[in-house]
Amino acid sequence: MVAIPDQKLKEILLVDGLISEADFNAAAEDAARLGESVAEVLVSKNIITEDYVRNVAARYLNVPLANLSSISIDQDVLKMIPEEVARQKRAIPFVRNQDGSVSVAMEDPSNLVSVEYLERYLKTKIVPYLASDNDLNKGFSLYSKTTVQGFKKIIEDNIRLSLQNKNKGEEEAAQDVPIVAIVDNIMSYAMGLKASDIHLEVFKEFVLVRYRIDGVLHEILRIPKDVHSAIVARVKLLGELKIDEHNKPQDGRFRYQVGDDVVDIRVSIMPTFYGEKIVMRLLEGATHPSSFKELGMLEDTAKILEDNIRKSYGMVLVTGPTGSGKTTTLYSVLNILNRTDVNIVTIEDPIEYDIPYINQTQVNPVAGIDFAGGLKSFLRQDPNIMMVGEIRDPDTAGIAVQSALTGHLVLSTMHTNDAATAIPRLLDMEIPQFLVSAVMNAVLAQRLVRQIHTDCIESYEPDEATITAIREQLEDVGLSPDKIEIPKTMYRGGGCAADNYTGYSSRIGIFEILDVTDDIRKIIVDPNFELEHLRAAARAQGMVTMFEDGLRKVERGITTIEEVLRVVRE
């Protein structure tokens, strides 16, 4: 986000009537404390939008707004700036003008150093445009499409070189130049494709490299098994793991940088039948969402959640399977609650985002720090708000409930299929019904769906098979299909170069929230407690189920019905 002088932003907002002077000054104080710009804080509070900030910035800088989603970028123009330089300078060339100048979409056109550098590089004048993240991502994705063959050629060339030196020991092989190049290219290419995970899976005759992009695994290439041990040794070396240990699982972490892009990589190595499998999780620590709207939460869900996290004590749980965005949601909650007058502590495994002014602790079994032990220790640290990465055992559940009962707000995650199931899950962990009823504020269940890429979105009328699938799913979640309006018009992505011809770009959440009201508490403490009674009561008081929330986003052209059905059936 382009920096606009606070005073100038304040003047414009006051003239436009979007904020009072007192509210702006309060946002400025929050910005100084959080290390963010005032504009970022105002966006996170839903006072202004990112589009508004961009328009204000364009007026302030006297530059036009780029709109790369509406034009076709000539590959010859794109290649005028190599991908590495484009990513480093956050700039995409998109038009060669008749006077010889080049129009360049830039994240920050006010950065004169970058402007001068690009003019020297291109040996001509540039016309800077203010670019959005979507503009830049489109350009970077086009680079990725043009470099796939180059990526595979680099890997193949280095494999040939490494095979010439295959008699080296593991530690020596891990530092061999071709192996270093193979691993570096696998990671940098994954970053270029915005992958969340890299899988290196060894089979009888080859090693399979797959990337998880927007929640779906894609095969990228296959490499000879002869280089597998050297690649594993290289990853172990980066993650500070034991190179000579092959029969036990190992976990590590390291930081990787390409130009100005930095990513934390979490490594998991697991012995399998044909050798060790590697999974690397790419964690971009600087990009955690700062508001519920960014997560995809609609206003009714967001209001219930915000009302419950504003309470001074009790428990708020976020549930869902692995990879459903639970931790990211909790970070958004922490961002909202992060104030100078509260002490926030967390125990996490791992710490995925570094948040200023929050005391974050990493689980460390070697040092005796686990979720239960960390919670116990936190109680001596005078906390107001405590976040524990996951409740998975009776000890952690018991301490979390006692903490919530004694004047602390406790935030955590749990693996359940829907919001209501979190209640019997706690009962299974030997937490008495009256305590669950007393401490629970709300349970949010969620999944991640891929968003339709808006550059190639198209509408259509659902066929009978789709309508039947929707009706069956409504019945599965206990809803009457006759009482729910099925969208008559749906949307999908046609597929284009910018989204790798998938029709999707990035992911967003679908949610359901169980608001634990007095009526719900009575059901929880009932000696004849039944989960279906709880679900029925929640729906009676207006709870929107996850599938219904997905249907709302299908109707609005945010995602597809296929995506919603896929994730709710997981």
Side-chain angles (χ1 to χ4, degrees):
M1 194 175 290
V2 177
I4 306 169
D6 291 350
Q7 190 57 40
K8 185 66 179 177
L9 179 62
K10 182 177 180 180
E11 290 173 8
I12 295 171
L13 288 171
L14 290 174
V15 168
D16 289 353
L18 295 176
I19 197 171
S20 68
E21 187 167 1
D23 287 343
F24 185 92
N25 293 337
E29 290 178 8
D30 286 344
R33 176 172 52 82
L34 296 171
E36 298 179 350
S37 69
V38 178
E40 287 172 325
V41 170
L42 293 174
V43 168
S44 72
K45 294 177 180 290
N46 294 323
I47 294 173
I48 56 177
T49 65
E50 289 188 3
D51 284 341
Y52 177 84
V53 175
R54 246 188 323 274
N55 277 283
V56 169
R59 281 187 291 166
Y60 172 71
L61 297 173
N62 194 28
V63 297
L65 282 168
N67 186 10
L68 301 190
S69 62
S70 65
I71 64 172
S72 177
I73 302 176
D74 189 298
Q75 289 291 333
D76 290 335
V77 175
L78 186 72
K79 291 175 183 176
M80 293 176 73
I81 299 177
E83 181 179 5
E84 184 177 348
V85 175
R87 287 185 178 278
Q88 185 178 25
K89 299 300 179 183
R90 304 287 292 170
I92 302 292
F94 62 95
V95 170
R96 196 198 315 252
N97 303 306
Q98 290 184 348
D99 63 0
S101 64
V102 178
S103 294
V104 180
M106 301 182 67
E107 183 177 66
D108 185 3
S110 67
N111 188 332
L112 297 180
V113 174
S114 291
V115 170
E116 290 172 4
Y117 175 89
L118 293 172
E119 287 184 335
R120 287 198 307 272
Y121 190 92
L122 294 170
K123 297 178 181 176
T124 188
K125 286 285 184 184
I126 71 168
V127 180
Y129 281 65
L130 179 60
S132 66
D133 286 342
N134 285 338
D135 289 325
L136 295 174
N137 287 338
K138 177 181 179 179
F140 296 148
S141 66
L142 292 176
Y143 276 117
S144 297
K145 291 296 290 183
T146 61
T147 58
V148 65
Q149 295 303 322
F151 160 72
K152 290 184 177 180
K153 186 176 186 306
I154 290 171
I155 297 292
E156 289 168 1
D157 290 346
N158 281 286
I159 286 172
R160 279 195 294 271
L161 290 171
S162 67
L163 290 176
Q164 295 171 12
N165 304 316
K166 64 181 181 180
N167 293 324
K168 292 183 177 181
E170 286 184 329
E171 191 162 350
E172 189 180 1
Q175 301 181 63
D176 198 23
V177 172
I179 293 298
V180 171
I182 290 169
V183 174
D184 281 356
N185 275 277
I186 287 173
M187 293 189 296
S188 61
Y189 189 55
M191 290 173 65
L193 293 179
K194 298 292 182 184
S196 62
D197 300 86
I198 302 169
H199 289 238
L200 299 172
E201 301 161 295
V202 57
F203 296 100
K204 185 177 181 180
E205 297 175 347
F206 58 87
V207 176
L208 179 64
V209 180
R210 297 197 289 173
Y211 294 165
R212 189 176 296 279
I213 302 169
D214 291 336
V216 178
L217 276 172
H218 300 268
E219 180 176 335
I220 303 300
L221 78 161
R222 299 181 181 196
I223 57 182
K225 191 175 178 182
D226 291 342
V227 297
H228 173 255
S229 60
I231 289 174
V232 172
R234 177 62 187 170
V235 174
K236 286 180 178 179
L237 189 68
L238 291 170
E240 299 182 347
L241 304 176
K242 294 179 180 178
I243 291 179
D244 59 350
E245 176 59 71
H246 302 289
N247 298 317
K248 293 181 181 178
Q250 294 192 69
D251 296 303
R253 188 171 182 147
F254 63 93
R255 180 161 289 183
Y256 184 73
Q257 183 168 357
V258 178
D260 289 340
D261 294 334
V262 179
V263 64
D264 285 327
I265 297 181
R266 192 173 78 208
V267 181
S268 172
I269 297 181
M270 175 68 71
T272 65
F273 187 75
Y274 289 110
E276 292 171 283
K277 175 185 175 180
I278 300 171
V279 175
M280 292 184 276
R281 168 67 55 88
L282 281 62
L283 304 167
E284 296 187 53
T287 59
H288 67 87
S290 57
S291 69
F292 296 153
K293 185 177 180 181
E294 286 183 63
L295 297 172
M297 224 175 275
L298 299 181
E299 288 184 6
D300 52 356
T301 305
K303 185 178 186 309
I304 295 171
L305 181 58
E306 185 149 3
D307 287 347
N308 280 290
I309 65 172
R310 295 292 184 188
K311 295 175 181 177
S312 59
Y313 66 93
M315 183 182 289
V316 174
L317 293 177
V318 182
T319 76
T322 300
S324 59
K326 301 185 296 294
T327 303
T328 301
T329 296
L330 283 185
Y331 275 113
S332 297
V333 171
L334 291 177
N335 189 73
I336 290 169
L337 297 176
N338 191 8
R339 306 187 309 271
T340 54
D341 59 342
V342 294
N343 176 23
I344 302 177
V345 294
T346 74
I347 175 77
E348 306 174 52
D349 184 24
I351 296 172
E352 295 191 12
Y353 303 110
D354 177 23
I355 306 180
Y357 305 103
I358 290 181
N359 304 283
Q360 297 171 264
T361 299
Q362 169 79 46
V363 165
N364 185 351
V366 176
I369 302 174
D370 57 14
F371 287 133
L375 273 175
K376 267 185 190 174
S377 298
F378 281 158
L379 290 173
R380 297 189 287 272
Q381 292 278 312
D382 186 32
N384 300 101
I385 299 168
M386 306 163 69
M387 185 188 100
V388 55
E390 183 184 348
I391 293 176
R392 60 173 75 144
D393 58 74
D395 285 346
T396 306
I399 298 167
V401 166
Q402 288 300 323
S403 301
L405 200 62
T406 54
H408 307 90
L409 179 65
V410 177
L411 311 169
S412 191
T413 70
M414 189 176 281
H415 287 261
T416 63
N417 289 329
D418 59 15
T421 309
I423 303 302
R425 182 79 182 93
L426 284 171
L427 300 180
D428 289 343
M429 292 184 187
E430 302 172 5
I431 306 299
Q433 287 174 261
F434 75 92
L435 285 182
V436 176
S437 171
V439 303
M440 193 59 61
N441 292 348
V443 183
L444 179 79
Q446 66 178 74
R447 299 289 190 279
L448 291 177
V449 294
R450 290 181 289 175
Q451 290 190 89
I452 297 171
H453 187 213
T454 54
D455 289 359
C456 57
I457 192 171
E458 57 188 34
S459 62
Y460 70 98
E461 291 184 9
D463 57 23
E464 279 303 317
T466 301
I467 293 172
T468 299
I470 293 171
R471 294 176 69 86
E472 288 174 352
Q473 186 60 38
L474 287 169
E475 289 175 351
D476 284 348
V477 297
L479 297 171
S480 171
D482 298 328
K483 295 182 180 179
I484 304 294
E485 188 172 346
I486 296 174
K488 293 181 175 59
T489 301
M490 295 184 184
Y491 302 86
R492 60 193 169 205
C496 62
D499 59 39
N500 292 318
Y501 299 96
T502 63
Y504 296 103
S505 177
S506 73
R507 289 189 292 174
I508 203 165
I510 58 173
F511 306 90
E512 69 180 28
I513 187 163
L514 172 64
D515 189 7
V516 183
T517 60
D518 289 342
D519 288 341
I520 297 295
R521 294 185 201 282
K522 290 175 185 176
I523 292 173
I524 295 173
V525 297
D526 188 333
N528 299 314
F529 170 82
E530 288 187 17
L531 179 58
E532 281 310 312
H533 291 166
L534 178 62
R535 287 185 176 134
R539 289 193 290 268
Q541 70 178 21
M543 183 182 82
V544 176
T545 67
M546 208 173 343
F547 184 59
E548 288 176 282
D549 190 48
L551 280 180
R552 297 192 294 183
K553 286 162 185 168
V554 167
E555 190 170 24
R556 298 180 189 200
I558 296 171
T559 189
T560 64
I561 186 61
E562 291 80 10
E563 271 296 284
V564 174
L565 288 169
R566 176 179 69 85
V567 301
V568 298
R569 290 171 174 174
E570 287 180 345

